[in-house]
Amino acid sequence: MTNRMVTIDGNEAAAYVAYKTNEVIAIYPITPSSPMGESSDEWAAKGQKNIWGMTPIVRELQSEGGAAGTVHGSLQTGALTTTFTASQGLLLMIPNMFKIAGEQTSTVFHIAARSVATHALSIFGDHSDVMATRSTGWGMLFSNSIQEVMDFALIAQAATLESRVPFIHAFDGFRTSHEVMKIEELTDEQIRAMIDEEFVRAHRQRALTPDRPVMRGTAQNPDVFFQSRERANSFYAVTPEIVERVMNKFAAVSGRQYRLFDYVGAPDAERVIVMMGSGCEAAEETVNALTAAGEKVGLLKVRLYRPFSVEHFVAALPTSVKSIAVLDRTKEPGAAGEPLYQDVITAIAETWHGRPASNGQAQEARATARITGGRYGLGSKEFTPAMVKSVFDEMLNDNPKNHFSVGIVDDVTHGSLPFDANFTTEAGDQVRALFWGLGADGTVSANKNSIKIIGEETPNFAQGYFVYDSKKSGAMTVSHLRFGPKPIQSTYLIQRANFIAVHQFNFFERYQILDAAQEGATLLINSPYEANEVWAQLPAPVQAAIVAKKIKVYSINAYAVAKQNQLGNRTNTIMQTCFFAISGVIPRDEAIVKIKDSIRKTYGKRGEPVVRQNFAAVDAALEHLHEIEVPSPDRGERGADAVLPATQATTTPHANADMPDFVRDVTMEILSGRGDHLPVSAFPIDGTYPVATAQWEKRNIAQEVPVWEPDLCIECGKCMLVCPHATIRAKVCKHEDLANAPAGFKTMPAKWRELPDHLYTIQVAVEDCTGCQLCVEVCPAKDKSNVSRKALNMAPQLPLRDSERVNWDYFLKLPEIHRNGNLTFKNIKDIQLLQPLFEFSGACSGCGETPYIKLMTQLFGDRAIIANATGCSSIYGGNLPTTPYTINPQGRGPAWSNSLFEDNAEFGLGMRLSFDHQQAYARNLVERFRDTLGDELADGLLNSNQETQEGINAVRDLVSELKEKLDSSLRGGLPPASSGSSPTLNGHDRTVVSAAQDLLGIADSLVKKSVWIIGGDGWAYDIGYGGLDHVLASGQDVNILVLDTEVYSNTGGQASKATSLGAVAKFAAGGKPTIKKDLGMTAMRYGNVYIAQIAMGANDVQTVKAFLEAEAHPGPSLIIAYSQCIAHGIDMAKGMHQQKLAVDSGHWPLYRFNPALESEGKNPFQLDSKDPKIPLQDYIYTEGRYRMLQRSDPEAAKALLTQAQASVNHRWEQYKKLAANPAT
Amino acid sequence: MSLSTNYLGLVLKNPIVASSSPLSHTVESIQRLEDAGASAVVMYSLFEEQITFNSYYVDHYLRNNTNSYAEALNYFPEMDAYNVWPDEYLNLIRRAKEVVDIPIIGSLNGVSIGGWTNYAGLIEDAGADALELNVYYVPTNVEMTGREIEDMYLDMLRQVKRSVTIPVAMKLSPFFSSISNMSKRLVAEGADGLVLFNRFYQPDFDLENLAVAPRLVLSNSNELRLPLRWVAILYGRVMADFAITTGIHTSEDVLKGLMAGAKATMMASELLQNGVRRIKEVLREIEVWMDEHEYQSVAQMIGSMSQQHCAEPAAFERANYMRTLDSFQPIN
């Protein structure tokens, strides 16, 4: 029987086998492993079966710790059970992993191996997570390619059942988990052939059951623990043989033979690399190229890393080996070497240490081989044949580097190997295609589709890998596609492309796109220009490269074609058709048929209209595709015209004089796509980065931007309040401030009684705006003669760009408003004159979270410290290259940090405790230095009221005075200590100086600090809830802001306990069957916690009150903020309207619970929204997350709606009763 | 006494047909209509836009923001099937046909040539006894001529007729330069029946928010006049079965409609306002009236007051206009 060829990614390959061979699957989202859980959940929702004809139970837990506990329990009661995870998630499973292994329990965890956060978080791949579990006693199998992922998932399952050693099945995050590859799918028969039912029954037989009760998990004393721990040895001793046997059986079943250690290369190799993971593929490709050239090199691929079989390892090494380089994809600072290196050293030493050469023969080479170790590929750093070659080259040196790194330039400790970036082993008979696109234009989707077409419809092998940038809106994508008649092992980005497509014309201005083009390549451009204008519009360096490399150029105005076919900005099908039409991978006509077949397959279930629309796009594409004539340099005099005068200079982001050094030297390099070339010395030693950097990143992603019409504006400030990116701002200035305003800079009289004779201006940062339109949607001011014209209207960005850039720069230089008591800053209009200290984040266009954060920074940002849970807010808040947190003219602004996902409340509490202690110490020292400071200053510092901003400003002034006084005392001689307060009475004592220096260092802590603990619902309701609850109970003065999107937004919309009943989310593919947790009500039981449930779009006044009251509350405060999200399936421009519907329907009641009122004898609970005025369905069916269920399972949707409405009614009645309570 | 009539080749037990409305949203409701005495049910309209919208909607949200960001390559689980096709509608017809004996008339509402004619075939396959084609087109394009608009209607009818064998009635709006000629052309193109008239739901203004707001207003008996006149004019001139669908509220309305030439009179607003039991009451009143006026069957009265048959044909024309104006006495 022939196996089906499928074109899938590594996650799907692993999940496929895991699903088929398990009965219970516990899941929790974490990048890059989430898709394994998502697939399992979807398959279960559709009722797909495992090999026993049953649908596995798939359950989401509240954390990876929870998932591991559930797996443990399920295993202990006899079900075949699995889970998927990565990185920190795997670390949270470690305690249970020790237990599972200690109890000799069969299971496989599938791990998309990812970096563990250290100086920074990285979602990308290396082995630091799996290496952190080495001591748990789990078997470890590493897959190197997508085919191996599917195969090893099964081999691991078979091996664990027989060996009773649990297995980690690891493959490289992103490089393997997300790479799409054509592979052979295992059949159910093959899977059944590998799973021995005897072992399955034995597993079940070991289950805990009251029918034959035993106890497992005792506590043991020193007398017996050690011995019983050693009982495990026999299992580990036989496991390598078991795995070997299973691999042989697998070879018989599938035809693919694997060994514990697979050697490839010259049989008489003298230089051998030992490594594991996807890097092996690139290394093997290099070894093949080098051996073909006569070099004696080889590669030993480690498959079974634990239990490590010294015997098998040594046997697999060629006897001729003289030099071994062990490559680890992890870093263990302070260790004698990285783990695999140490294992290899141990294996070689154990085998030959003290053993004499036999029979007078020389000791064989392996025994005396020189062993070096090195690191590569951390955090998915590229690992290329050039790097492999450099490792082999280094081995030729008499004194090769040990503990080296490869792939970077280490100019600090000089441990890196140089490599020749031009060395390449890419095959000659391959199509290598690079596609530069935007996330929004569907480039990646189209390419995934193309790979499927080529992979599944032709004999070609196919590979796809996709690179995304760090932004959620306007993100650039680069697709790397390889096709060819031979299997593809190139686990690295395309270096020499013979086809390049540029789906956004302006990319030519920003990136060195043609660097990767090989001679004679084909270039396809989506151009807004007519075919006869395209050449002239290309930047001169691009023209030069085209001529020099003899590149064939084609162009199409795909946006125009899309528009004609009602496809909006979706150019994916059009560009895909053009690719097939000119790349020659498949004959054109045949390709068109296949594209259409594929469209029907992909879109058929979404309905005929969508299919027809895409068919029309295919047909239209070919009519508008043109070859562009490239002037030839060989045409005599005309050759001089080959490269026309530059029509547009290449505008790669470049430094300007205003930039701080770090921004110029590091940030801008990263922005320009040259981050790989930055040396080690460029980076901070401890992960500390400057703020105020997003301002330098002018992304120009909005097609349209708001334009202000002063004649209509009522100066309400709502537009600025809702702006997710702080790109629309207002200032109030005196006439004289505006004396040199640029022409076209708009103002109007300011409508503040307190600010007579001032001018008001609104300015848009058009280069930072994402074009979300929230501001225009909320603008209440309409033209009486033309109601479609508001005080803000969208207009094309390009014609405005230059003039508005000038206006924006001018606007920034206008003075910021003083908080000097003129205005109260308690209403939106006032507050929106305050500088946002959070600007231009990479959040999604129309994000519902960021307006709340921005508001917080306007109110308290100059004295705020933020503990940020991992999630969307940590990514748009702190993903390099830039950060949106910024500073005011005095240099103050929010300080920000992210610890983990699960511990954010505790992290923030720690900040509070630290500040409190520093303040107490500072107060103590102020008292001790009272004589030096004077009573007036000391009393001012100790007793000033800091409840208002004026009070805080006053204390700031006093702190400055303190610093000046202390500083001058220290400079003018040692300060006298106040009597009785100093440990010595000697005014010149060293301890006094030390105390004075201490006070200088911590004097700023005398100014009230505002601690903000920010995170999403995944954190607050699920993984971090235990800590959150504890911090609420602590009574400490922290402010907790929960940005409730009702799903795990950052990882792609998985259900959390905040997800509403009836909503479709990942991990709740059949609609969430349980109600949303009432977090506010749960917290209310403590009595001393300030709680507000808010929705800016429904009641912005209440939102502002909540922030002010929460911050003023001296204990813990909890603000739960409704935040619209792209995972809701809404038109993001209507985000604020959706908030209103949520409140109007009773889904999201607005309330405040203020303990302060209780002490005044009032009811602390105040409902801020009115009785629901629309039925729940009028809200929820305006959102895709609910409609999706209506479309996929109308009966279930109807039933869940009924329950949901009942739940809304019930909760509302409860709230009303609570609000109606008389004063207590 | 026979109330029976023959519309689109279907034998109806009486002339009261439940017009396209939310009353046909469920099998139970259709059953209630039958129990109340309705002789046929025109299903609620399957809107072309609804099908297209559902399809685009599902596609949009499954596709939107996908493959843009490494951590979240998509945001919704992909299921095996989505109810974007008119499955629900077709199932309803199927189930209704199983439980009721009266004819079920499918209703398609659309404007564009092309795919949606497929749905006509699907409606036939689901068991509908006839099809009502409702072309709701608002010609806002100032370049478009009346002739082009008429041709569009005809093209659509032609396509649908090609794809079904059940009778097809065309529901018309009164906004044609020549309703007579248009009717003739439609019948020549194969229309088995003409349903007069479609009510355009006119948008309203929300003065508070300065926004255009949709507002549904139910019909009243006064609105019967327009279709009554045109059925009376066309009866005998254009060889199709007529139905009146606007302003039928009382037994008198039904009787007038029949006498003008309609073979069926369709009720919706009345039933929505006062309940489906009104059919029974109206039927009883008709019987009483027929009895009092010694009619044996409704067949006797169909077209009896059409322009061709009435004593004063001019009453339907311009002269009557003047008379009507003259009859108006201003209040002093």
PDB file of all heavy atoms in Angstrom, chain A residues 442-456:
ATOM      1  N   GLY A 442      -2.048  38.552   2.461  1.00  0.00           N
ATOM      2  CA  GLY A 442      -2.289  37.131   2.230  1.00  0.00           C
ATOM      3  C   GLY A 442      -1.145  36.396   1.555  1.00  0.00           C
ATOM      4  O   GLY A 442      -1.321  35.283   1.063  1.00  0.00           O
ATOM      5  N   THR A 443       0.044  36.988   1.529  1.00  0.00           N
ATOM      6  CA  THR A 443       1.162  36.363   0.833  1.00  0.00           C
ATOM      7  C   THR A 443       1.477  34.980   1.405  1.00  0.00           C
ATOM      8  O   THR A 443       1.635  34.008   0.656  1.00  0.00           O
ATOM      9  CB  THR A 443       2.421  37.259   0.940  1.00  0.00           C
ATOM     10  OG1 THR A 443       2.119  38.523   0.344  1.00  0.00           O
ATOM     11  CG2 THR A 443       3.595  36.646   0.227  1.00  0.00           C
ATOM     12  N   VAL A 444       1.549  34.890   2.713  1.00  0.00           N
ATOM     13  CA  VAL A 444       1.915  33.600   3.312  1.00  0.00           C
ATOM     14  C   VAL A 444       0.838  32.560   3.045  1.00  0.00           C
ATOM     15  O   VAL A 444       1.147  31.410   2.703  1.00  0.00           O
ATOM     16  CB  VAL A 444       2.178  33.756   4.828  1.00  0.00           C
ATOM     17  CG1 VAL A 444       2.371  32.398   5.483  1.00  0.00           C
ATOM     18  CG2 VAL A 444       3.402  34.625   5.071  1.00  0.00           C
ATOM     19  N   SER A 445      -0.414  32.966   3.177  1.00  0.00           N
ATOM     20  CA  SER A 445      -1.500  32.010   2.921  1.00  0.00           C
ATOM     21  C   SER A 445      -1.399  31.467   1.501  1.00  0.00           C
ATOM     22  O   SER A 445      -1.547  30.265   1.257  1.00  0.00           O
ATOM     23  CB  SER A 445      -2.857  32.685   3.099  1.00  0.00           C
ATOM     24  OG  SER A 445      -2.912  33.338   4.329  1.00  0.00           O
ATOM     25  N   ALA A 446      -1.144  32.364   0.561  1.00  0.00           N
ATOM     26  CA  ALA A 446      -1.040  31.939  -0.836  1.00  0.00           C
ATOM     27  C   ALA A 446       0.130  30.976  -1.009  1.00  0.00           C
ATOM     28  O   ALA A 446       0.024  29.970  -1.718  1.00  0.00           O
ATOM     29  CB  ALA A 446      -0.864  33.157  -1.736  1.00  0.00           C
ATOM     30  N   ASN A 447       1.226  31.275  -0.347  1.00  0.00           N
ATOM     31  CA  ASN A 447       2.392  30.414  -0.507  1.00  0.00           C
ATOM     32  C   ASN A 447       2.196  29.045   0.127  1.00  0.00           C
ATOM     33  O   ASN A 447       2.655  28.036  -0.396  1.00  0.00           O
ATOM     34  CB  ASN A 447       3.628  31.101   0.072  1.00  0.00           C
ATOM     35  CG  ASN A 447       4.060  32.260  -0.807  1.00  0.00           C
ATOM     36  OD1 ASN A 447       3.889  32.210  -2.022  1.00  0.00           O
ATOM     37  ND2 ASN A 447       4.586  33.313  -0.210  1.00  0.00           N
ATOM     38  N   LYS A 448       1.498  29.021   1.264  1.00  0.00           N
ATOM     39  CA  LYS A 448       1.206  27.724   1.879  1.00  0.00           C
ATOM     40  C   LYS A 448       0.371  26.896   0.912  1.00  0.00           C
ATOM     41  O   LYS A 448       0.541  25.692   0.783  1.00  0.00           O
ATOM     42  CB  LYS A 448       0.474  27.926   3.206  1.00  0.00           C
ATOM     43  CG  LYS A 448       1.408  28.403   4.311  1.00  0.00           C
ATOM     44  CD  LYS A 448       0.718  28.482   5.662  1.00  0.00           C
ATOM     45  CE  LYS A 448       1.764  28.785   6.743  1.00  0.00           C
ATOM     46  NZ  LYS A 448       1.167  29.061   8.053  1.00  0.00           N
ATOM     47  N   ASN A 449      -0.519  27.595   0.234  1.00  0.00           N
ATOM     48  CA  ASN A 449      -1.362  26.944  -0.753  1.00  0.00           C
ATOM     49  C   ASN A 449      -0.541  26.437  -1.946  1.00  0.00           C
ATOM     50  O   ASN A 449      -0.721  25.318  -2.419  1.00  0.00           O
ATOM     51  CB  ASN A 449      -2.401  27.980  -1.184  1.00  0.00           C
ATOM     52  CG  ASN A 449      -3.522  27.363  -1.944  1.00  0.00           C
ATOM     53  OD1 ASN A 449      -3.514  27.427  -3.156  1.00  0.00           O
ATOM     54  ND2 ASN A 449      -4.453  26.751  -1.252  1.00  0.00           N
ATOM     55  N   SER A 450       0.401  27.273  -2.389  1.00  0.00           N
ATOM     56  CA  SER A 450       1.241  26.874  -3.534  1.00  0.00           C
ATOM     57  C   SER A 450       2.063  25.638  -3.191  1.00  0.00           C
ATOM     58  O   SER A 450       2.242  24.741  -4.024  1.00  0.00           O
ATOM     59  CB  SER A 450       2.191  28.013  -3.919  1.00  0.00           C
ATOM     60  OG  SER A 450       1.449  29.126  -4.330  1.00  0.00           O
ATOM     61  N   ILE A 451       2.568  25.587  -1.968  1.00  0.00           N
ATOM     62  CA  ILE A 451       3.367  24.425  -1.575  1.00  0.00           C
ATOM     63  C   ILE A 451       2.515  23.174  -1.619  1.00  0.00           C
ATOM     64  O   ILE A 451       2.943  22.120  -2.079  1.00  0.00           O
ATOM     65  CB  ILE A 451       3.925  24.595  -0.144  1.00  0.00           C
ATOM     66  CG1 ILE A 451       4.826  25.806  -0.074  1.00  0.00           C
ATOM     67  CG2 ILE A 451       4.710  23.371   0.273  1.00  0.00           C
ATOM     68  CD1 ILE A 451       5.196  26.154   1.333  1.00  0.00           C
ATOM     69  N   LYS A 452       1.294  23.312  -1.142  1.00  0.00           N
ATOM     70  CA  LYS A 452       0.395  22.146  -1.162  1.00  0.00           C
ATOM     71  C   LYS A 452       0.154  21.694  -2.599  1.00  0.00           C
ATOM     72  O   LYS A 452       0.181  20.500  -2.910  1.00  0.00           O
ATOM     73  CB  LYS A 452      -0.932  22.486  -0.488  1.00  0.00           C
ATOM     74  CG  LYS A 452      -0.910  22.219   1.015  1.00  0.00           C
ATOM     75  CD  LYS A 452      -2.328  22.151   1.560  1.00  0.00           C
ATOM     76  CE  LYS A 452      -2.349  21.990   3.083  1.00  0.00           C
ATOM     77  NZ  LYS A 452      -1.842  20.716   3.574  1.00  0.00           N
ATOM     78  N   ILE A 453      -0.076  22.671  -3.468  1.00  0.00           N
ATOM     79  CA  ILE A 453      -0.343  22.314  -4.868  1.00  0.00           C
ATOM     80  C   ILE A 453       0.854  21.574  -5.444  1.00  0.00           C
ATOM     81  O   ILE A 453       0.725  20.499  -6.032  1.00  0.00           O
ATOM     82  CB  ILE A 453      -0.649  23.583  -5.702  1.00  0.00           C
ATOM     83  CG1 ILE A 453      -1.997  24.164  -5.288  1.00  0.00           C
ATOM     84  CG2 ILE A 453      -0.637  23.260  -7.196  1.00  0.00           C
ATOM     85  CD1 ILE A 453      -2.340  25.479  -5.962  1.00  0.00           C
ATOM     86  N   ILE A 454       2.038  22.140  -5.246  1.00  0.00           N
ATOM     87  CA  ILE A 454       3.226  21.533  -5.854  1.00  0.00           C
ATOM     88  C   ILE A 454       3.572  20.228  -5.149  1.00  0.00           C
ATOM     89  O   ILE A 454       3.911  19.236  -5.786  1.00  0.00           O
ATOM     90  CB  ILE A 454       4.400  22.534  -5.816  1.00  0.00           C
ATOM     91  CG1 ILE A 454       4.058  23.744  -6.685  1.00  0.00           C
ATOM     92  CG2 ILE A 454       5.690  21.873  -6.295  1.00  0.00           C
ATOM     93  CD1 ILE A 454       4.957  24.930  -6.505  1.00  0.00           C
ATOM     94  N   GLY A 455       3.437  20.247  -3.820  1.00  0.00           N
ATOM     95  CA  GLY A 455       3.789  19.051  -3.056  1.00  0.00           C
ATOM     96  C   GLY A 455       2.854  17.896  -3.330  1.00  0.00           C
ATOM     97  O   GLY A 455       3.285  16.751  -3.462  1.00  0.00           O
ATOM     98  N   GLU A 456       1.585  18.197  -3.436  1.00  0.00           N
ATOM     99  CA  GLU A 456       0.623  17.104  -3.522  1.00  0.00           C
ATOM    100  C   GLU A 456       0.195  16.788  -4.951  1.00  0.00           C
ATOM    101  O   GLU A 456      -0.346  15.730  -5.220  1.00  0.00           O
ATOM    102  CB  GLU A 456      -0.582  17.414  -2.623  1.00  0.00           C
ATOM    103  CG  GLU A 456      -0.147  17.414  -1.152  1.00  0.00           C
ATOM    104  CD  GLU A 456      -1.247  17.829  -0.167  1.00  0.00           C
ATOM    105  OE1 GLU A 456      -2.398  17.975  -0.580  1.00  0.00           O
ATOM    106  OE2 GLU A 456      -0.901  18.001   1.019  1.00  0.00           O
TER     107      GLU A 456
END
